[in-house]
Amino acid sequence: MIQKVLHSFMLTLLMSSIVAQAQTIPSPKEHFGFNIGDDYQLATYTQTEAYFRKIAAASDRVKLVDIGMTEEGRHQLMLIVSSPENLKKLDRYKEISQKLARAENLTDEQAHSLAEEGKAIVWIDGGLHATETVGTHQLIETVYQLVSRKDPETMRILDKDIILLTHANPDGQEIVTNWYMREPKAEKRVLDNLPRLYQKYVGHDNNRDFFIMNMKETQNIGRQLFVEWIPQIMYNHHQSGPAGSVLAGPPYRDPFNYVFDPLMVTGIDALGAAMINRMNAENKPGFTRLGGSVFSTWYNGGLRTTTHFHNMIGLLTEIIGGPTPEDIPLVPKRLIPNGNTPFPVTPQKWHFKQSIDYSVSLNYAVLNYGARYGDELLFNIYRMGKNSIERGSKDYWALSPKRIDAIDEAFKNDPKKVVPPTNAALAQYGFVPRGGGMPIKYYDTIMKAPVLRDPRGFIIPANQPDFATAVKFINALVKTGIQIQQATADFTVAGKKYPAGSYVVKTDQAFRPHVLDMFEPQDHPNDFQYPGGPPVRPYDAAGWTLAYLMNVQFDRILDGFDGPFKKLPIGELQSPEGHVNGSPSAGYVLSAKANNSFIAVNDLLASGVEVYRLPNGVGGKSTVESGAFFVPASAKAKSLLEKSAKDLDLEVAGISKRPTTTMTKMSPMRIALWDSYGGSMPSGWIRWLMEQYHFPMKVIYPKDIDAGDLRKKFDVIVFVTRAIPPVGGKEEDIFAGLERAPKEETTPEMYRPWMGKITADKSIPQIKTFMEAGGTVVTIGSSTNLAYHLKLPVKNALTEMTSSGLEKPLPGEKYYIPGSVLQVSLDSTQHATWGLSAKTDVYFDASPVFKLAPEAIAKGTVVPLAWFDTNKPLRSGWAWGQSYLQDGVAAFMAPVGSGKFYAFGPEITFRAQSQGTFKLLFNQLYTLN
């Protein structure tokens, strides 16, 4: 008996020892060899991944989830942190979060019950922009604090919250840390002059990819945010804060996007109050908000901002600090307390650890809010979703600046209007006296007009010319958790017949704000510093309607409709198969309108199959457009095209007679793409694009250009925006102040070939020689400056004459177009524009516009490719003074010697979103004989 008791006691002791060992949480110091926040110390992702795995193995508060692979092949990790009891019921809490966020088939009573049962889901990420090193390191420290602390606040947070701690950019952390830590002497370590982008292709633009989700990391994150968890709060850590402050945080400056539910906007206010209150209570000054920073909630497409369109309370902070100590500068106007900055920080030396401490406190403020108000957060996301469903189920009119202008115009143009009494003294301050204002009938004229209703849904026909690109658009919606339906049979809506396979996106769903934002134009307000003053620059774009940029054909349906539609599973990507149609005894025809045709053509050329273009179609009554591709019949062509049709959703036409019209044989060009030391994001996007569309190419740098003999190596060189400097000056570029030219002698030898800039004295002559010898140069955006270096007969169309007779660019008070969608006209029978519509939407971001000399056009010295034939080309965004664009040329071609120069002012490949204009690049990448 004694032996049994002793055996039992020893077993219990042993088990207790094992549990104690398992619960011994290694500190960052023990794992990394330094404390997080120590000056001059950064962790690599390799070290961080190992630490996260070690923490997950040691703690019962953590579940480790591998959310996918990165572009460079690393594992992207998410740590789910909560109490052991909650982790056992994760599936149930995820189900509750999804049900409440989608708000379908629930009563308010049922929603309240689920909100009481559920836990607040709080997302915290770090490291998206890898040079912003506080982000990754606060994530490490926060994990450690949450799994090791036992104070009442932490225990309450673990009991009430489920925390998704997500690494946003593993590749970037590895790149940046290795660069910083390469210097053996700590005090000499700097983050400056990183030689390459900190994301394989797009660098900083990884935070502009979230409504299209091209990058793997974006896709991994998007699935967790919009399909799997749909958290009520997401917190996105960034840098750096405004000079003279420590951090910028919520709430943000106006404008916010008009499609938002007001509960989301005031939810940001509430969380912002909790965050700044905690900072003030902990005597941590320097938090600025509202007009104290440039950040707003207008834009979609960022990691934080896309969540706003899904009824999540998306939070952003931008904090100062890094491993190398820095100074908070003296900015006198920041030292006066005001509503933006109630508790200013004074000038001082600032250390990494201070930024880490601030960040952990901010995280705890957010988590504590979630713990205290979890049921409210859960119910409110349901309420917002329910509001969206109700708005999409009935006639609804959304307010916007254009609608308000229309109301004003209706009043102004009414000859029988009764002008309400005014008080001039009060009116100058914006006060309206009691009983003032307009009669309600003017509101009703606009806001009850049937044609101005919000759409009940959108139909994307399956028989459109580039259905594969339309499916890519649908998949962008799928990745963001949108409910898609598909027709199982032909159907008719509003008198129009649609084929089976067409997609339907209705607006009676919880994420209606995102649906509207992807299909409908953005109406950015006219935002000026003061009446008659300069414009206030949007934080990013003003307009971005993805359906326009991708040239998706769709119909807006204003009345409720139904049909033989099946709801597709949430998050299920679409991959319809194309077909080879007809009798291909003579060969095959591929449409020039389909982007994926270029993939098929490049695969054919790479396999040695002959491909031709048809400048005049196939003749007769055929609907085959100018520039279509013809592939003569052969066994190899048959095999490749059957595979391409199936994999790429291409409709390939088999023909029994060889075309009798003109044919030009295609050959692949030797393609060079300009890039620079540090990496160009626009170049990176095209590099990714070339890989997706199977164009072989080589990246070249300024030194390669200056070395000459370009024609022996290449047939075409592509220069993206910011490659070619202006004549006699520097580019006006918001990024220019962030660039510091590295010194060659202190740069590792392997990166020195990437250094240098395009110069007027060395580079431009070599580029000109290349074209004179028969080479092609394609320039995009500001790199169309090359036209002026070449002294072509073109001028800037956006200028005015001063009183002294000098020409100068139009001032912002008269003309200002930040990133927006405009419409151009073009001649699609020209080789350069084959496959495009006569009216095409382009992404325009303060882009160049040209005036061509009429005699030059007549002689063929310059050939206009795209132009503005209206004084109102705006489709989405903000275009102040857009009438100045009328008759301006957006793109042209000019012969230079035996070669060709192409100038595309708009951003024709912008962030791989402007897929409707990819062909303006692709068409120039083949030799036609």
Side-chain angles (χ1 to χ4, degrees):
M1 183 65 179
I2 294 173
Q3 283 183 326
K4 284 186 178 180
V5 171
L6 186 61
H7 181 267
S8 178
F9 174 75
M10 294 298 293
L11 190 61
T12 302
L13 194 64
L14 179 62
M15 292 301 294
S16 298
S17 173
I18 291 171
V19 171
Q21 274 189 327
Q23 291 295 306
T24 300
I25 308 300
S27 70
K29 174 82 169 179
E30 291 166 334
H31 178 80
F32 297 102
F34 53 86
N35 293 308
I36 298 300
D38 283 354
D39 287 342
Y40 306 109
Q41 297 293 336
L42 291 178
T44 64
Y45 182 72
T46 301
Q47 295 169 319
T48 303
E49 180 184 4
Y51 185 61
F52 284 174
R53 294 186 185 278
K54 192 181 290 185
I55 286 277
S59 174
D60 60 1
R61 301 179 183 180
V62 178
K63 179 179 179 180
L64 182 71
V65 180
D66 188 334
I67 63 174
M69 304 301 288
T70 67
E71 290 288 356
E72 293 189 5
R74 293 181 176 86
H75 293 273
Q76 189 167 8
L77 300 182
M78 178 173 77
L79 294 175
I80 304 178
V81 178
S82 195
S83 71
E85 295 75 18
N86 290 344
L87 292 180
K88 292 173 185 175
K89 299 170 64 179
L90 274 184
D91 288 345
R92 175 56 179 164
Y93 293 130
K94 180 191 284 189
E95 180 188 21
I96 290 172
S97 185
Q98 290 177 353
K99 280 186 173 181
L100 290 171
R102 297 205 170 273
E104 293 173 349
N105 304 314
L106 288 177
T107 65
D108 286 3
E109 185 179 11
Q110 290 170 327
H112 275 300
S113 178
L114 287 172
E116 289 290 340
E117 180 188 353
K119 304 292 181 181
I121 313 297
V122 182
W123 170 287
I124 298 175
D125 62 57
L128 186 66
H129 291 159
T131 50
E132 300 166 9
T133 53
V134 172
T136 48
H137 290 75
Q138 63 79 26
L139 201 66
I140 298 168
E141 183 64 22
T142 300
V143 169
Y144 175 66
Q145 299 275 353
L146 287 170
V147 300
S148 63
R149 283 169 54 169
K150 297 179 181 178
D151 57 277
E153 182 182 36
T154 299
M155 300 310 290
R156 180 177 64 250
I157 286 169
L158 293 170
D159 180 48
K160 298 293 185 181
D161 293 343
I162 291 170
I163 311 156
L164 310 177
L165 295 158
T166 308
H167 199 300
N169 184 7
D171 298 344
Q173 184 184 358
E174 195 77 9
I175 293 165
V176 168
T177 295
N178 286 333
W179 178 252
Y180 181 79
M181 298 295 288
R182 78 191 189 285
E183 171 57 57
K185 191 170 182 179
E187 291 74 13
K188 288 187 175 181
R189 291 174 184 162
V190 293
L191 288 167
D192 296 347
N193 300 321
L194 189 70
R196 52 168 291 198
L197 295 169
Y198 51 65
Q199 194 276 350
K200 183 176 180 180
Y201 298 102
V202 303
H204 189 277
D205 266 0
N206 63 356
N207 199 28
R208 304 296 185 270
D209 190 43
F210 279 88
F211 60 62
I212 194 167
M213 296 198 190
N214 285 314
M215 297 295 109
K216 290 179 181 177
E217 299 88 346
T218 320
Q219 294 166 18
N220 299 338
I221 291 170
R223 183 161 189 89
Q224 299 305 315
L225 281 173
F226 306 122
V227 177
E228 294 289 336
W229 280 101
I230 319 177
Q232 294 80 55
I233 301 173
M234 79 81 60
Y235 182 7
N236 182 216
H237 282 263
H238 277 277
Q239 291 185 261
S240 182
S245 294
V246 174
L247 73 136
Y252 311 102
R253 71 173 177 90
D254 286 336
F256 61 75
N257 201 292
Y258 306 120
V259 298
F260 294 155
D261 192 288
L263 259 178
M264 195 285 295
V265 178
T266 54
I268 293 175
D269 294 344
L271 263 296
M275 295 165 80
I276 196 169
N277 282 346
R278 188 172 187 121
M279 293 295 98
N280 293 343
E282 293 182 0
N283 200 31
K284 291 184 169 84
F287 189 127
T288 193
R289 56 192 183 157
L290 300 168
S293 76
V294 299
F295 307 106
S296 72
T297 51
W298 176 258
Y299 178 65
N300 197 338
L303 173 49
R304 162 191 62 112
T305 58
T306 304
T307 66
H308 295 156
F309 296 81
H310 293 72
N311 302 325
M312 301 178 207
I313 299 173
L315 306 172
L316 163 78
T317 53
E318 300 259 353
I319 196 168
I320 65 170
T324 301
E326 61 187 70
D327 293 317
I328 294 180
L330 173 61
V331 181
K333 65 181 180 180
R334 291 269 180 187
L335 294 176
I336 301 297
N338 57 31
N340 293 331
T341 314
F343 187 9
V345 67
T346 56
Q348 59 187 272
K349 181 67 71 176
W350 193 262
H351 294 271
F352 199 20
K353 183 65 165 61
Q354 291 171 278
S355 295
I356 300 298
D357 289 346
Y358 266 61
S359 298
V360 172
S361 288
L362 291 162
N363 287 339
Y364 262 73
V366 172
L367 294 171
N368 186 51
Y369 187 95
R372 292 183 181 276
Y373 300 102
D375 58 338
E376 186 176 299
L377 288 163
L378 285 159
F379 183 79
N380 282 355
I381 201 170
Y382 155 79
R383 183 68 267 166
M384 288 185 271
K386 197 75 167 179
N387 290 345
S388 286
I389 292 170
E390 290 171 356
R391 289 168 187 149
S393 303
K394 63 184 181 182
D395 288 346
Y396 188 84
W397 289 260
L399 288 163
S400 69
K402 284 182 180 176
R403 299 281 172 86
I404 302 307
D405 290 345
I407 293 170
D408 286 335
E409 197 69 16
F411 175 72
K412 177 183 174 183
N413 293 335
D414 183 357
K416 298 180 180 180
K417 64 178 176 285
V418 177
V419 180
T422 60
N423 183 318
L426 293 175
Q428 65 178 319
Y429 299 107
F431 293 113
V432 178
R434 187 180 300 276
M438 297 179 192
I440 292 175
K441 69 175 184 178
Y442 299 106
Y443 173 89
D444 292 345
T445 299
I446 305 302
M447 300 308 293
K448 291 186 179 179
V451 295
L452 297 180
R453 289 171 292 168
D454 287 354
R456 299 285 188 92
F458 305 90
I459 299 175
I460 297 96
N463 57 353
Q464 59 187 282
D466 191 2
F467 188 55
T469 295
V471 172
K472 292 176 186 178
F473 171 74
I474 287 294
N475 280 335
L477 299 179
V478 167
K479 292 172 192 173
T480 53
I482 299 303
Q483 175 68 72
I484 309 294
Q485 300 182 50
Q486 189 173 29
T488 58
D490 293 355
F491 65 100
T492 300
V493 170
K496 180 174 179 179
K497 188 173 182 179
Y498 298 90
S502 298
Y503 289 102
V504 174
V505 185
K506 292 193 175 184
T507 59
D508 59 345
Q509 57 179 297
F511 303 153
R512 178 177 182 268
H514 190 73
V515 173
L516 293 175
D517 203 59
M518 293 295 97
F519 282 97
E520 298 278 274
Q522 288 77 45
D523 182 13
H524 194 284
N526 292 321
D527 191 9
F528 294 92
Q529 294 180 24
Y530 51 84
V536 177
R537 182 184 178 88
Y539 178 62
D540 195 88
W544 52 84
T545 306
L546 189 59
Y548 294 176
L549 289 175
M550 295 182 74
N551 193 31
V552 176
Q553 294 183 9
F554 66 91
D555 289 315
R556 301 170 77 246
I557 309 300
L558 298 183
D559 295 308
F561 66 101
D562 216 332
F565 308 146
K566 65 175 180 180
K567 285 189 174 182
L568 303 177
I570 298 293
E572 183 178 279
L573 294 175
Q574 299 299 292
S575 54
E577 295 181 359
H579 311 87
V580 176
N581 305 299
S583 172
S585 55
Y588 308 84
V589 173
L590 288 79
S591 173
K593 295 181 178 180
N595 283 349
N596 280 0
S597 290
F598 290 89
I599 302 177
V601 165
N602 287 336
D603 290 346
L604 289 163
L605 292 173
S607 297
V609 175
E610 288 187 352
V611 183
Y612 297 81
R613 296 204 82 165
L614 304 170
N616 304 309
V618 296
K621 296 180 179 180
S622 171
T623 57
V624 173
E625 71 282 350
S626 299
F629 304 92
F630 170 67
V631 184
S634 70
K636 187 180 285 188
K638 179 177 185 294
S639 173
L640 287 169
L641 283 172
E642 285 178 350
K643 184 177 187 304
S644 291
K646 180 180 178 182
D647 295 347
L648 302 174
D649 187 21
L650 283 174
E651 294 300 320
V652 180
I655 56 175
S656 56
K657 290 185 178 180
R658 191 178 176 94
T660 57
T661 55
T662 302
M663 293 193 297
T664 57
K665 188 176 181 181
M666 299 175 65
S667 302
M669 279 184 165
R670 297 169 297 167
I671 303 168
L673 172 65
W674 169 90
D675 207 336
S676 64
Y677 182 94
S680 156
M681 289 181 286
S683 178
W685 278 115
I686 291 185
R687 179 161 44 92
W688 179 81
L689 208 58
M690 296 291 195
E691 291 179 15
Q692 304 307 303
Y693 285 87
H694 301 183
F695 284 100
M697 61 91 198
K698 178 179 173 59
V699 174
I700 63 171
Y701 296 87
K703 286 186 178 182
D704 297 317
I705 292 169
D706 293 348
D709 284 334
L710 294 170
R711 190 68 187 93
K712 292 180 181 178
K713 307 166 193 172
F714 308 112
D715 300 307
V716 59
I717 305 175
V718 180
F719 292 99
V720 299
T721 199
R722 295 193 291 276
I724 306 292
V727 173
K730 292 185 177 180
E731 197 75 57
E732 287 188 12
D733 176 15
I734 62 169
F735 297 101
L738 305 177
E739 297 174 359
R740 297 176 185 173
K743 295 179 180 178
E744 191 153 326
E745 61 272 18
T746 60
T747 300
E749 191 170 350
M750 65 183 293
Y751 301 120
R752 291 178 190 175
W754 302 356
M755 302 178 78
K757 298 281 186 183
I758 299 293
T759 60
D761 57 339
K762 292 185 69 175
S763 313
I764 302 299
Q766 296 294 349
I767 296 169
K768 184 179 181 182
T769 298
F770 168 75
M771 284 186 283
E772 289 172 338
T776 296
V777 167
V778 177
T779 60
I780 302 170
S782 68
S783 285
T784 56
N785 285 325
L786 185 57
Y788 302 122
H789 287 283
L790 297 173
K791 296 182 171 56
L792 296 176
V794 302
K795 292 175 61 179
N796 180 359
L798 302 173
T799 61
E800 65 179 5
M801 298 299 293
T802 65
S803 56
S804 58
L806 297 175
E807 201 170 32
K808 69 170 187 177
L810 290 166
E813 293 85 347
K814 293 184 176 180
Y815 170 84
Y816 181 68
I817 305 181
S820 297
V821 184
L822 306 186
Q823 190 169 83
V824 296
S825 294
L826 49 80
D827 177 5
S828 57
T829 64
Q830 296 189 56
H831 154 245
T833 58
W834 280 340
L836 281 87
S837 304
K839 297 284 188 181
T840 293
D841 293 329
V842 298
Y843 188 81
F844 189 97
D845 187 7
S847 300
V849 181
F850 304 95
K851 186 184 295 182
L852 310 186
E855 62 275 14
I857 296 174
K859 292 177 182 178
T861 308
V862 288
V863 179
L865 301 175
W867 54 90
F868 298 102
D869 64 358
T870 172
N871 64 356
K872 293 182 179 178
L874 178 66
R875 289 271 281 157
S876 179
W878 183 21
W880 181 253
Q882 61 179 310
S883 60
Y884 285 102
L885 294 172
Q886 186 161 14
D887 299 327
V889 172
F892 66 88
M893 186 278 290
V896 178
S898 299
K900 291 180 179 179
F901 167 71
Y902 289 95
F904 297 103
E907 298 294 334
I908 59 173
T909 60
F910 185 71
R911 294 173 178 165
Q913 296 165 7
S914 54
Q915 299 191 20
T917 50
F918 284 177
K919 290 182 278 286
L920 289 174
L921 173 63
F922 295 167
N923 281 334
Q924 324 321 326
L925 302 182
Y926 302 97
T927 299
L928 300 179
N929 301 313

